[in-house]
Amino acid sequence: MSKARYRSAEWFAREGKYGFLPRSWTKSQGFSSDLLDGRPIIGICNTWSELTSCNRHLRDLAEHVKRGVLMAGGLPLEFPVTSLGEPLMRPTTMMFRNLVSMDVEETIRANPIDGVVLLAGCDKTTPALLMGAASCDIPTIMVSGGPMLNGRFRGRKLGSGTDVFRLDEEYRTGQLDRADLDAAEAAMSRSAGSCMTMGTASTMASIVEAMGMALPMNGTIPAVDSRRAVLAQKSGTRIVEMVQAGITMSQILTRESFENAVRVTGAIGGSTNAVVHLLALAGRLGVEFALDDWDRLGRDIPCLVDLKPAGRFLMEEFFEAGGVPVVMNRIADKLQLNARTVDGRTIGEIIAGAVCYDDDVIRPLERPLTHDGGLMILRGNLAPGGAVLKPAAASPALLQHRGRALVFKDADDLRARIDDPDLDVDADTVLVLQNAGPRGYPGMPEVGSMALPKKLLQQGVTDMVRISDARMSGTAFGTVVLHVTPESAIGGPLALVQTGDIIVLDAAARRVDVELDAAELARRRAELVLRSPHYERGYGRLFVDHVQQADRGVDFDFLVGHSGTPPSKVSF
Ligand code: FES
């Protein structure tokens, strides 16, 4: 192989001091000259952090990637980027997804990296790394951290996130005490890995596999299973081959792979968060892919995977049943089978002959979990720019609903009043949350699946129609209209709704409306006073000044597109 073939030769193959400095300082890590003599340099982009428990094993996994890179004749160099841990970060990890993407993009471009392996796990780490790498467009493979082991508590299966909502309701209604909750906490999260429900992390890892950005079974192998280490090793070998063949990310992530991602999201009952992440990723790559594609492409897709939050099982069972290839095999006639993958085969070749080992977990087409697996995109006078609804997580009876609005001005107002025994609310009320969108909160947090009022929980109410410009955790459930665009903080119609207005949800017609005429809406708009942004300086200011709305994936306006990795100036 010729030194000049690789981008890293601009650093390591130069004569004089321009080559001496990068070679000498890199050799200080104990590398011999031949390791820097024309081999492809593979960056291993790692979101390991003790502040991100879901990703705490990724340093171990990186060692297996390195083994594969070395076996194939490359030189692996691991580098950290900012990590995003859902349970700890405030106000919301979504506010920092774009920041991490910038970290990834600029680190790749500024360094002698010929190909990159992305190590991600917890929800936003996956899209953040993909977006950053996409804006560089070099050969790229993702290795997900994998789901944690199933939770078990007193004979019950506990699913990450999903059962937190149920346990919280049982605690609030006196069915559990504090000691019970302590025991449940330990029983739910009992190994390394990401949430083992079909939440956002599992959705994104499965989508990454379906889009061909990872090797087969990336989406489902448990984090602590030795087969994930093998997948990491094979990914290390494969990225070297991709560099040698010049296979870049944009050759894998085409319009066809985005179409497959939408359909697989429906078939696995995936998270609504995939909507904003894939829109942002498409924007980086210049792929024509819009919000309405989610509805159009997902409309005839049944949900086949019986996993929490929509169903019964967890990721260990999904893996044992055959994982994403089986799901794709079952909906093969809806897929773009010629889409390329990092594996080197087409997706059609990978999924051909996939065998299902448990038809209760991955159901056959004749026996789906729900017929409407795809996400719905709603319009109407409340959401002229669109809104998202996950029918698989909703109560069928509420998908056609007319009810009186109960408005909360923001998440603090919601928390302060939702359990007020005097709250004027019944099961038909529509809960409306304002100022929780990309700019308003800011960061569009996962507060859209508002907790139900305590007094209704005590009456046995389990679901209500809820509407907001926020997102919802992939592990949550309910008849929840999300991502209302434009958001209330910039004067979207959601900001004009008042308690007592009549809201109509007509999912079949893909509409969500408030029964107010144009004159009344105009009168209220004239009186609307917008709040000042929360941040005056720093990254928060950058965020509120440049974040786009949900229908654009909540990416920054100045990050859309890609710049490749042009040669940079030498600064010494
Ligand atoms: Fe990290 Fe769910 S909290 S994946």
Side-chain angles (χ1 to χ4, degrees):
M1 70 187 68
S2 156
K3 293 175 194 171
R5 285 182 59 190
Y6 304 123
R7 178 173 179 264
S8 57
E10 282 294 312
W11 281 259
F12 296 117
R14 296 184 73 145
E15 294 298 328
K17 67 178 182 181
Y18 299 114
F20 182 99
L21 267 84
R23 285 194 299 268
S24 175
W25 266 258
T26 307
K27 283 176 180 174
S28 75
Q29 298 186 55
F31 297 140
S32 57
S33 294
D34 53 341
L35 281 174
L36 298 173
D37 192 16
R39 292 168 188 255
I41 307 292
I42 305 301
I44 301 175
C45 176
N46 205 336
T47 50
W48 168 87
S49 169
E50 288 182 342
L51 293 170
T52 307
S53 300
C54 313
N55 295 13
R56 66 179 156 88
H57 60 306
L58 294 187
R59 285 185 91 184
D60 293 338
L61 206 57
E63 295 304 317
H64 295 278
V65 176
K66 289 177 187 175
R67 184 184 296 173
V69 172
L70 289 165
M71 284 168 57
L75 175 62
L77 295 177
E78 184 183 352
F79 62 95
V81 290
T82 305
S83 195
L84 302 171
E86 291 295 318
L88 301 188
M89 286 191 90
R90 295 181 182 177
T92 166
T93 52
M94 186 63 182
M95 189 166 146
F96 304 104
R97 183 199 64 179
N98 299 346
L99 177 68
V100 175
S101 82
M102 293 165 72
D103 188 354
V104 173
E105 175 181 349
E106 301 305 333
T107 301
I108 291 173
R109 187 174 296 122
N111 283 287
I113 293 173
D114 300 306
V116 65
V117 179
L118 308 174
L119 296 186
C122 200
D123 297 12
K124 309 302 179 297
T125 55
T126 297
L129 268 52
L130 288 172
M131 289 160 65
S135 288
C136 294
D137 196 22
I138 63 172
T140 304
I141 287 184
M142 176 158 273
V143 177
S144 300
M148 63 174 80
L149 297 175
N150 290 355
R152 292 204 165 275
F153 177 60
R154 296 178 184 168
R156 276 163 73 182
K157 204 175 282 181
L158 280 191
S160 312
T162 303
D163 284 296
V164 174
F165 299 105
R166 295 195 200 284
L167 291 165
D168 180 57
E169 286 174 3
E170 289 173 14
Y171 179 63
R172 288 166 63 211
T173 53
Q175 299 168 61
L176 294 177
D177 63 20
R178 193 67 193 78
D180 295 326
L181 281 190
D182 274 350
E185 285 165 9
M188 179 177 288
S189 309
R190 62 191 184 93
S191 81
S194 48
C195 292
M196 80 317 248
T197 43
M198 188 48 77
T200 304
S202 297
T203 299
M204 293 307 296
S206 299
I207 284 178
V208 161
E209 180 181 342
M211 295 181 93
M213 277 304 300
L215 296 184
M217 302 307 287
N218 173 74
T220 54
I221 302 173
V224 297
D225 191 307
S226 59
R227 287 166 283 189
R228 181 151 299 273
V230 174
L231 181 136
Q233 178 188 314
K234 288 184 173 175
S235 299
T237 297
R238 183 62 195 148
I239 189 68
V240 175
E241 295 166 357
M242 286 176 66
V243 171
Q244 291 166 343
I247 301 169
T248 61
M249 203 167 167
S250 61
Q251 295 174 42
I252 305 293
L253 292 182
T254 58
R255 164 81 194 181
E256 287 71 29
S257 63
F258 278 86
E259 290 187 10
N260 288 344
V262 171
R263 292 191 153 130
V264 168
T265 301
I268 63 176
S271 163
T272 50
N273 286 325
V275 175
V276 288
H277 298 326
L278 289 198
L279 288 171
L281 182 60
R284 296 296 183 98
L285 292 157
V287 172
E288 275 195 34
F289 177 70
L291 181 63
D292 289 321
D293 284 325
W294 279 97
D295 197 297
R296 193 174 58 75
L297 296 165
R299 198 170 271 231
D300 56 352
I301 300 294
C303 177
L304 301 179
V305 178
D306 191 348
L307 250 63
K308 292 177 179 238
R312 296 173 292 167
F313 299 101
L314 294 168
M315 288 300 285
E316 271 185 75
E317 285 103 354
F318 186 23
F319 168 60
E320 296 295 342
V324 174
V326 170
V327 178
M328 296 186 80
N329 179 284
R330 291 199 161 161
I331 59 166
D333 63 330
K334 311 276 189 201
L335 298 177
Q336 298 284 354
L337 298 176
N338 290 324
R340 295 180 72 178
T341 74
V342 295
D343 174 88
R345 294 174 287 171
T346 64
I347 198 72
E349 290 168 336
I350 289 174
I351 66 171
V355 177
C356 183
Y357 298 102
D358 192 334
D359 279 341
D360 286 334
V361 178
I362 307 176
R363 295 181 176 217
L365 288 172
E366 316 78 67
R367 196 165 53 83
L369 184 65
T370 65
H371 289 280
D372 290 325
L375 301 175
M376 289 179 173
I377 304 303
L378 311 177
R379 304 272 174 178
N381 73 356
L382 255 186
V388 175
L389 175 70
K390 181 177 178 177
S395 303
L398 289 175
L399 291 174
Q400 302 290 131
H401 186 76
R402 187 174 179 278
R404 193 173 56 89
L406 173 58
V407 176
F408 298 93
K409 284 295 172 192
D410 53 34
D412 289 337
D413 184 28
L414 172 73
R415 288 184 201 107
R417 293 198 289 133
I418 194 67
D419 285 342
D420 182 343
D422 296 326
L423 197 66
D424 184 12
V425 65
D426 60 35
D428 291 330
T429 303
V430 176
L431 304 181
V432 175
L433 175 63
Q434 299 168 332
N435 292 301
R439 197 164 190 268
Y441 193 82
M444 201 182 180
E446 294 179 338
V447 295
S449 55
M450 301 162 235
L452 302 187
K454 188 173 176 177
K455 68 180 189 184
L456 295 187
L457 289 173
Q458 288 167 333
Q459 293 168 20
V461 175
T462 56
D463 193 11
M464 297 170 71
V465 174
R466 290 158 265 179
I467 301 177
S468 75
D469 43 17
R471 293 177 302 114
M472 170 172 90
S473 166
T475 61
F477 46 86
T479 310
V480 187
V481 177
L482 302 153
H483 306 194
V484 168
T485 303
E487 66 173 298
S488 49
I490 63 168
L494 190 69
L496 308 178
V497 179
Q498 296 175 0
T499 293
D501 291 343
I502 298 299
I503 305 274
V504 180
L505 171 63
D506 184 349
R510 302 297 199 265
R511 288 196 68 88
V512 58
D513 293 278
V514 55
E515 286 188 348
L516 295 173
D517 61 26
E520 176 61 13
L521 286 171
R523 188 189 68 73
R524 292 188 189 181
R525 182 172 301 288
E527 292 177 356
L528 183 66
V529 178
L530 297 179
R531 297 179 176 189
S532 307
H534 288 250
Y535 293 90
E536 292 188 353
R537 63 163 301 282
Y539 174 73
R541 178 61 186 269
L542 182 78
F543 186 93
V544 296
D545 283 355
H546 291 282
V547 70
Q548 301 183 108
Q549 291 291 288
D551 61 338
R552 299 293 180 93
V554 199
D555 202 2
F556 290 157
D557 49 11
F558 63 86
L559 288 177
V560 174
H562 52 95
S563 314
T565 51
S568 296
K569 292 175 184 168
V570 177
S571 58
F572 51 83

